[in-house]
Amino acid sequence: MHAILRTTAGRTRLVWALLPYAVFFVLYAATFQRWVLPFEDSGREMNTALRLAEGEVLYRDVGYSYGPLPPLIDGFLLRTFGRSLDFLVAWRTVVALLGVEALRRLARRLAPGESLAAAISSFAIAACAFGVGGSWPFPYSVAALMGTVGVWWALELALASESLRASLVAGAVAGLAAGTKLEFLPVALAGPLLVLGLRRSRKEAIMAGALAVGEAGIAFGVPVLAFGTDLMRRQGFLIALDVPESWRRVYEAVLFGGMSARAFAGGGFLEVLFPSALAVGLVLLLSAAGEGLGRLLTPLLFLAGGLTFFSSGNGWLHSLLPLAACVATGALVRAAIEWRRGNPSRCAAAAGVALVMLPALLRQPFFLRNPVYAAFSAPLALVVALAWLARRVSARPAFTALVLGLCVAQIGARVEGIGLASLTFVKLPGASLFLLPSEARFVTGAARVIRETVPEGGTLGIFPEPGFLLFTTGRKNPFVDELFVPGIQDAEAEDLMIRRLRERPPDALLVTNRAFPEFGGAVYANGLLDRFFLEVSRRYMPVRRIGGGATPPARHASEGILFLAAPNGSENKEPSRRK
C-alpha cells in the first residue's frame, strides 16, 4: 500500500478505486434512517426475524417466500443482540458494501481502464442502491440483496481463481447465493460454474459445482422434506413457481405499455427503443471524435450528464436495457465460438456476467422505473451496457466525464427525493426512523393504542402488512403469513386464517388503509379475503378509528380501524359493512 501511494499513478488508482465507496457513503448519510416503508415489505423483513428469534419455526409457523439462510441470520442477530432495527440495518450495510466491491471488480474486468470502471460502477450504485423502497441498507428483501451480492462475488471469485481451493470457495459462495431465493438457483449455479468450466480443469469445476449444488440442495431440499410440498407451496418458497395473472398484467403494462401495436409504439418504442437509438448515435459521435475534439467535449459532456438531474424520473435510463441484453447475448455467442476454437477462457468474464445478468432482466423487467426491483436487476446491466459503449469510443476521457456527470445527477436526485424530503422523525421501541408526516402520526398513535388495548405478549392481527407495528410493540402475529396481499392468500390459506380465528382468536385486529394500486381497487371484505372478513364481522366489532383526515389511501397508511371481540364472545347479529 505504501509503495502504491508513493507514486502519482498509484494515488490516482486508489482515488478511482475509492470513488464507488464515496458515492455509497454520501448517499448513505443523505438518506440515513429513511429506508424503511412500514406498510410495504419492510415490516415482513423485521417481524419474520423477530418471530424466529422468539422460537417460531420458519415455513411451519412463519410464512416466507424465499430461502432459509437470510431470515435465519436475521433471527440470530435479534436473538443475540435484542429487538432493534439497527442490527438488521448494520448487517445489510455490511452486505451492501460487499456488493459495492464486487460490482467495482466486475466493472474493472469489463470496462477499458480503471477510471471508466470506477465511473461506471459509481453511476450504477448512485442510480440503483438508494431508491425509495429499494435501498440496499434496507431493501424489500434481504434475500434479494444477499443473493445478488453472493452471485456477484461467486462470479468474481471464479474469474480470479488460480487454485483448487479458490475454485471451491467460489463454489461455496455460489451455493450460498443459490439458497437465498428460488430464482437465484439457476443464476448462481450457471454463471460462476460456467466460468470455472472455461478457465479451470474439468475436475476442479465439477468439484466446485458439486459443492454449490449440495449447499443449494440442503437449503431448498431440507424444508421440503421436513414440511412437504403442499405446505411449502402455500407458506414457503415454492410459491415462486406460480406467477399470478395480476403480476403478468403488470409485466406487460410496464414493459410494453400494453399488448397492441399502437400501445407498444407509444410505450416501449418511445421509452426504450428510440432512446437507445439516440444513445448509439452519441457513441458514434464520440467514436469519431479525435483527441482535440475529445478534450473540448469533456466538460460539455460532464455538464450534459449533470443536467439529466432535471429530467422527470429515470425512465430514459431504461433505454440501456435492450443494449445490455443484446451485449450479453452476443457474449454468450462469442464464448461458444471461442470454445469451439479451443480458447474458452477469452470470453469467460463476459459470458459469466451474461448468465448472471440476463435472467434478472427477464424476471424483473421493470428496470429503473421501479426502484424496488431495479436495485438488484439493474446495476450489473448498467455496467455491461456502459462498459460496451466505453470500449467503442475513441474519446474515452470525454465518455468518462459523461458517466461522472450522470452519476452526479443521480446523487442529486436521491438527495433531493429522499434526503431532503419532508419527513418526520419517529422513535419507537426498537426502531428510530423518518416517515411521511401522516404515516408518522398514524404509527405513533397506533403503537400507543396497541399498547393500551392488547396486553404485553398478546396477539394482534394487522392487515395488510403487520410486521412493523408488531415489531415495535412486541405483540405477536396470530397468523402464519406476514403479508396479506393478492397472490399470497389462496383459498386454502384463507381457510387456515379462518380456522385460526375460531380456534385461537387474537386479542384484537387492526385494518389499515394501505391501498393496492397494482391489483386494482379491491379492498378487504370487498374483493380481498371476503370469507375471512365475513367471519371477522361475526366475531369482532369496530371500536376505534386511528388517524384519519389525510389524503386518500396510498402505498403508505395514515389511518386504520381497530376491531375487538364482541361482548361476551357472542357473534354480531348483523355483520358490519366496511367501506
Side-chain angles (χ1 to χ4, degrees):
M1 176 63 72
H2 292 293
I4 293 176
L5 294 176
R6 279 198 294 267
T7 65
T8 302
R11 289 192 293 270
T12 301
R13 286 197 302 272
L14 181 61
V15 169
W16 285 117
L18 293 177
L19 180 61
Y21 290 97
V23 170
F24 180 87
F25 280 115
V26 165
L27 290 175
Y28 191 93
T31 63
F32 188 65
Q33 292 184 327
R34 295 166 180 251
W35 309 306
V36 170
L37 302 177
F39 298 101
E40 294 193 37
D41 297 310
S42 298
R44 175 201 61 206
E45 296 295 295
M46 297 165 64
N47 204 52
T48 295
L50 182 61
R51 294 176 70 175
L52 299 184
E54 293 177 343
E56 293 190 70
V57 177
L58 189 67
Y59 304 127
R60 188 194 70 190
D61 304 323
V62 186
Y64 190 68
S65 301
Y66 310 130
L69 181 61
L72 291 178
I73 293 176
D74 282 353
F76 171 79
L77 289 173
L78 297 186
R79 185 166 56 252
T80 303
F81 299 107
R83 174 170 57 100
S84 175
L85 175 63
D86 294 340
F87 297 119
L88 300 181
V89 170
W91 164 237
R92 284 152 178 73
T93 301
V94 170
V95 178
L97 289 173
L98 291 173
V100 170
E101 179 62 17
L103 195 64
R104 185 189 72 84
R105 293 191 181 200
L106 291 173
R108 192 174 57 184
R109 292 184 180 278
L110 299 176
E114 187 79 26
S115 58
L116 265 170
I120 290 171
S121 56
S122 297
F123 167 68
I125 291 164
C128 303
F130 289 91
V132 177
S135 294
W136 289 5
F138 209 91
Y140 83 98
S141 165
V142 68
L145 176 65
M146 290 181 62
T148 300
V149 173
V151 170
W152 290 350
W153 266 109
L155 182 59
E156 170 60 27
L157 292 170
L159 289 167
S161 175
E162 298 295 340
S163 66
L164 173 60
R165 177 179 297 179
S167 296
L168 291 177
V169 171
V173 174
L176 292 175
T180 57
K181 293 183 72 177
L182 193 60
E183 57 262 40
F184 278 119
L185 180 63
V187 173
L189 299 182
L193 297 184
L194 171 70
V195 168
L196 289 176
L198 294 175
R199 295 188 63 251
R200 307 298 297 168
S201 68
R202 180 178 300 179
K203 178 181 178 181
E204 194 170 307
I206 291 175
M207 292 178 65
L211 179 60
V213 171
E215 290 178 352
I218 291 173
F220 291 118
V222 169
V224 172
L225 292 175
F227 304 123
T229 56
D230 289 341
L231 183 142
M232 291 303 297
R233 185 176 291 276
R234 187 174 70 252
Q235 298 175 192
F237 48 74
L238 292 182
I239 192 175
L241 297 177
D242 299 322
V243 180
E245 179 62 28
S246 55
W247 193 94
R248 284 194 287 268
R249 289 198 299 269
V250 171
Y251 186 112
E252 295 166 358
V254 172
L255 184 59
F256 300 112
M259 294 307 295
S260 69
R262 182 175 181 179
F264 176 75
F269 176 77
L270 288 179
E271 295 186 19
V272 178
L273 299 183
F274 182 67
S276 298
L278 294 180
V280 172
L282 177 61
V283 172
L284 293 176
L285 173 64
L286 293 177
S287 299
E291 185 176 346
L293 182 58
R295 283 197 297 268
L296 177 63
L297 289 175
T298 296
L300 296 177
L301 287 173
F302 177 81
L303 179 62
L307 289 176
T308 59
F309 168 77
F310 296 101
S311 63
S312 59
N314 264 338
W316 62 275
L317 283 179
H318 195 79
S319 62
L320 292 171
L321 169 63
L323 178 59
C326 291
V327 171
T329 303
L332 293 175
V333 173
R334 288 195 304 275
I337 294 173
E338 293 295 338
W339 179 76
R340 290 180 62 87
R341 291 176 177 175
N343 301 311
S345 62
R346 289 187 60 181
C347 296
V353 168
L355 282 179
V356 167
M357 185 203 78
L358 279 173
L361 293 184
L362 294 174
R363 182 168 176 81
Q364 298 176 344
F366 307 99
F367 209 58
L368 291 157
R369 292 191 246 180
N370 188 319
V372 174
Y373 302 120
F376 309 106
S377 63
L380 197 55
L382 289 177
V383 168
V384 168
L386 292 175
W388 183 87
L389 293 174
R391 291 195 301 271
R392 279 150 183 82
V393 300
S394 300
R396 286 179 180 171
F399 188 78
T400 303
L402 173 63
V403 176
L404 288 175
L406 294 172
C407 181
V408 170
Q410 292 296 315
I411 293 173
R414 302 298 165 269
V415 172
E416 181 194 46
I418 303 176
L420 298 180
S422 179
L423 302 179
T424 300
F425 182 72
V426 176
K427 185 174 180 60
L428 296 170
S432 299
L433 68 165
F434 288 89
L435 298 175
L436 292 170
S438 60
E439 195 167 44
R441 290 192 296 271
F442 172 63
V443 299
T444 302
R448 182 180 65 253
V449 170
I450 290 169
R451 287 192 296 269
E452 295 171 353
T453 306
V454 180
E456 187 172 351
T459 56
L460 171 67
I462 303 179
F463 302 89
E465 303 194 38
F468 178 81
L469 285 173
L470 293 177
F471 184 93
T472 54
T473 61
R475 273 52 178 180
K476 299 184 183 301
N477 186 353
F479 304 108
V480 171
D481 292 314
E482 284 290 325
L483 194 64
F484 300 95
V485 297
I488 300 297
Q489 278 74 37
D490 58 10
E492 192 172 0
E494 193 170 6
D495 289 339
L496 176 61
M497 292 172 62
I498 294 172
R499 188 163 64 249
R500 288 283 183 95
L501 191 70
R502 293 170 176 171
E503 296 174 353
R504 290 179 284 174
D507 296 306
L509 299 171
L510 175 64
V511 180
T512 70
N513 67 337
R514 152 62 156 103
F516 302 98
E518 67 272 41
F519 297 107
V523 296
Y524 288 116
N526 186 14
L528 299 178
L529 295 177
D530 289 342
R531 292 187 297 113
F532 174 78
F533 275 98
L534 178 62
E535 189 71 22
V536 168
S537 68
R538 292 168 176 164
R539 298 173 178 273
Y540 288 79
M541 299 178 60
V543 296
R544 185 166 181 176
R545 182 179 294 274
I546 306 171
T551 56
R555 296 302 293 262
H556 64 282
S558 58
E559 63 181 12
I561 300 176
L562 183 72
F563 290 79
L564 293 179
N568 302 322
S570 60
E571 294 188 359
N572 293 334
K573 295 181 180 180
E574 295 184 4
S576 61
R577 293 184 178 271
R578 293 178 55 251
K579 297 182 180 180

